[in-house]
Amino acid sequence: MAFPEHRPRRLRRTEALRRLARETRVEPADLIYPLFCVAGHGQTQPVESMPRVNRYSVDRLAAEAKEIQDLGLGGVILFGIPDEKDAVGSGAYARDGIVQQAARAIKDATPDLLVIADVCLCEYTDHGHCGVYEAGEVRNDETLPLLARTSVELARAGCDVVAPSDMMDGRVGAIRSALDAEGFDETSILSYAAKYASAFYGPFRDAAESTPQSGDRRGYQMDPANGREALLEIELDLSEGADLIMVKPAMPYLDVIRAAREISPVPVLAYQVSGEYSMLHAAIERGWLDEDRVIEESLVAIRRAGADRVISYFAKDFARRVRG
Ligand code: PBG
């Protein structure tokens, strides 16, 4: 191949030609919107570190769900902030826990909207760790039954997909057995297979009040330095029955998304996390980055790397713009 026979600029001359040559598209249906649910009534609480993101009480979710459905988004992923926390995160697996209530309210209002529920204990434990915490350590095997119970209660509340984000070993298998034993064999598992111990979760922890009281999550979440280890995590989760897998965060880990895409027979999701959102927003607000273009480019890049679907706090704004 050589110039002047080849002139790549030929296909860049007009928007119609660029559209003809375009390899990757992002549509609202590719995007999943995170929703934070809080106790109380009539609550729409802005999250300070995440402009335009709110925490809603359950009674406010029906309207929110309808708007998300009308925008054509692919679904929602739910996070809960309970009124009370304890050592073992009971709020996560309570039958009328905050996310269980939220899922029921959303399924009542919009039965066809896809509802994913994050499965983790960190928002529900007083120590803020993702599992049972003893002597400065998160106990893996003791945590598994609690995650399994949480998943069963979320399935009972009508969630289509449960998404464990705790990074305990063996949790996908434990959740699958518990769901099947309780008759929820049709509930899917989206595993946060390659979830890194990332500083980019900072704003989320403000929103979800889930910062560990002591220590950090490096004893269970992955070391940001490791790419090949992600493949081991993915293989294990697939062998335990994961229906979908996720890489998180997204933009700083595009190589991991690509590697996941190459080995995964199941859909690959990527989570454009809170810090990615807040970082872009901060620059947008200062006029340093162009809002529409940078949002779209960030999503296209994540899709191009290999993510089939993207969880993003930009989902609603992106859909509003493309739908005019
Ligand atoms: C729960 C969980 C976290 C996120 C998703 N699920 C926080 C964490 O692991 O500390 C982060 C999402 C985001 O930053 O947007 N474990």
Side-chain angles (χ1 to χ4, degrees):
M1 293 223 249
F3 176 83
E5 289 77 13
H6 287 281
R7 287 180 180 270
R9 287 186 55 190
R10 274 187 203 124
L11 290 178
R12 297 178 199 147
R13 205 165 44 81
T14 67
E15 180 51 25
L17 285 163
R18 289 191 290 273
R19 214 184 299 131
L20 175 72
R22 191 157 295 143
E23 298 173 26
T24 310
R25 279 175 222 280
V26 181
E27 287 170 10
D30 299 325
L31 305 178
I32 290 158
Y33 189 66
L35 279 179
F36 296 103
C37 320
V38 287
H41 204 80
Q43 298 292 315
T44 298
Q45 308 170 346
V47 177
E48 207 190 324
S49 52
M50 301 177 71
R52 299 189 203 166
V53 172
N54 298 305
R55 315 194 309 179
Y56 299 97
S57 54
V58 171
D59 59 299
R60 292 270 163 103
L61 287 173
E64 187 61 20
K66 283 189 188 126
E67 188 192 351
I68 288 165
Q69 186 166 54
D70 290 344
L71 285 167
L73 293 180
V76 293
I77 180 163
L78 305 180
F79 297 94
I81 300 99
D83 243 357
E84 284 173 19
K85 304 183 188 235
D86 62 25
V88 288
S90 324
Y93 39 91
R95 195 149 295 182
D96 62 347
I98 184 76
V99 175
Q100 287 80 347
Q101 292 179 39
R104 289 191 185 96
I106 293 171
K107 280 293 177 186
D108 273 349
T110 51
D112 296 331
L113 183 66
L114 179 84
V115 175
I116 305 173
D118 183 85
V119 175
C120 197
L121 300 184
C122 63
E123 297 106 298
Y124 304 90
T125 51
D126 47 19
H127 45 73
H129 279 286
C130 301
V132 176
Y133 192 61
E134 277 166 18
E137 236 184 90
V138 173
R139 312 286 303 169
N140 192 86
D141 298 13
E142 286 82 341
T143 302
L144 299 181
L146 304 184
L147 297 169
R149 244 174 102 184
T150 303
S151 302
V152 167
E153 292 309 326
L154 292 166
R156 201 188 306 286
C159 297
D160 301 291
V161 180
V162 292
S165 69
D166 51 280
M167 290 304 276
M168 297 304 116
D169 292 329
R171 90 267 210 209
V172 174
I175 290 171
R176 183 73 272 157
S177 317
L179 287 172
D180 290 356
E182 296 285 329
F184 298 111
D185 41 75
E186 295 294 346
T187 303
S188 305
I189 300 176
L190 160 60
S191 157
Y192 285 68
K195 174 171 175 178
Y196 287 87
S198 173
F200 287 96
Y201 307 150
F204 171 96
R205 292 182 188 168
D206 287 345
E209 299 170 10
S210 65
T211 307
Q213 296 302 304
S214 61
D216 54 42
R217 304 210 202 289
R218 283 182 288 186
Y220 40 107
Q221 298 179 348
M222 287 178 60
D223 184 337
N226 294 356
R228 278 174 289 144
E229 190 187 341
L231 304 181
L232 172 63
E233 285 283 3
I234 291 167
E235 275 176 26
L236 287 169
D237 287 358
L238 289 173
S239 72
E240 290 173 31
D243 301 285
L244 311 117
I245 59 160
M246 196 198 298
V247 175
K248 173 186 173 196
M251 246 182 14
Y253 295 83
L254 295 177
D255 57 324
V256 179
I257 296 175
R258 165 55 46 192
R261 184 73 188 81
E262 273 161 16
I263 63 157
S264 174
V266 304
V268 176
L269 283 81
Y271 198 142
Q272 185 179 45
V273 299
S274 56
E276 299 179 66
Y277 175 85
S278 300
M279 180 169 73
L280 292 175
H281 245 294
I284 289 165
E285 278 172 15
R286 290 183 174 205
W288 290 352
L289 290 172
D290 179 87
E291 173 167 3
D292 290 347
R293 291 190 55 201
V294 81
I295 292 175
E296 176 158 12
E297 185 177 333
S298 69
L299 296 169
V300 165
I302 294 164
R303 293 263 298 118
R304 188 200 63 238
D308 297 296
R309 303 290 177 266
V310 185
I311 299 175
S312 174
Y313 302 95
F314 288 121
K316 285 203 303 185
D317 284 341
F318 176 83
R320 266 190 215 112
R321 191 170 55 77
V322 300
R323 308 187 121 234

